[in-house]
Amino acid sequence: MSEARFRILLVEDNAGDVYLFRKALKEAQVAFDWTVLDDGAQALAFARGEGAYADAPVPDLVVLDLNLPKNEGIHVLAAIRQNPRLAAVPVIITSSSHSPRDQTETARLGIECYLRKPPDFEEFMRIGTILKEVLIRNRRST
């Protein structure tokens, strides 16, 4: 019997960070399939279930960068929370921002956690463990 795979939606416009997220998840031994969206317009369409995303499966986790082209991550998060299919999906915000306003606003909309993107490789790899813990905790509670 094959192990259950997690569905992850990664919204990230930096190809280098996408690579690092993949590597961190693999190092944490997370079995996953993912959808990677690289701008806020695509992410809003996903969050609203529009167009190509009308029948997209509900992810087990959303990893959302706040600073995106075409629409800010905060707008995407608000749309996720307004969609009954996605409202309960855990969202992890990633950002290079230190802004207390960003942290307060995203917390108000309901996030699992707010992660600052680490400056070095070893710290970035620890993100895989954090994502794995959230995925496992959420799977047990559903």
Side-chain angles (χ1 to χ4, degrees):
M1 174 160 89
S2 66
E3 81 181 78
R5 297 179 70 80
F6 293 101
R7 287 185 308 269
I8 298 172
L9 171 62
L10 174 64
V11 184
E12 174 58 64
D13 63 315
N14 181 312
D17 286 348
V18 171
Y19 170 81
L20 291 172
F21 276 111
R22 177 186 296 272
K23 187 156 183 61
L25 285 163
K26 286 186 176 189
E27 278 200 17
Q29 300 179 340
V30 176
F32 68 97
D33 296 309
W34 68 359
T35 300
V36 178
L37 304 177
D38 63 5
D39 70 48
Q42 292 174 8
L44 270 177
F46 187 100
R48 294 174 177 159
E50 298 172 342
Y53 307 108
D55 296 320
V58 174
D60 296 304
L61 175 67
V62 175
V63 180
L64 175 62
D65 185 11
L66 274 188
N67 301 312
L68 298 167
K70 300 186 182 177
N71 273 303
E72 290 294 316
I74 194 75
H75 300 296
V76 175
L77 177 58
I80 288 169
R81 292 300 175 233
Q82 292 170 357
N83 182 334
R85 288 185 69 229
L86 302 175
V89 173
V91 176
I92 292 178
I93 296 296
T94 62
S95 181
S96 54
S97 169
H98 291 285
S99 168
R101 181 175 177 227
D102 286 345
Q103 293 176 29
T104 300
E105 185 65 14
T106 56
R108 184 184 67 77
L109 289 168
I111 60 169
E112 187 71 27
C113 64
Y114 187 106
L115 298 175
R116 288 209 41 257
K117 290 183 184 175
D120 66 52
F121 180 80
E122 289 78 22
E123 285 184 52
F124 209 109
M125 291 304 99
R126 290 187 201 120
I127 287 178
T129 302
I130 294 168
L131 300 181
K132 182 177 185 177
E133 289 169 358
V134 170
L135 285 162
I136 290 170
R137 183 173 55 242
N138 187 56
R139 180 156 286 167
R140 286 186 188 145
S141 67
T142 57

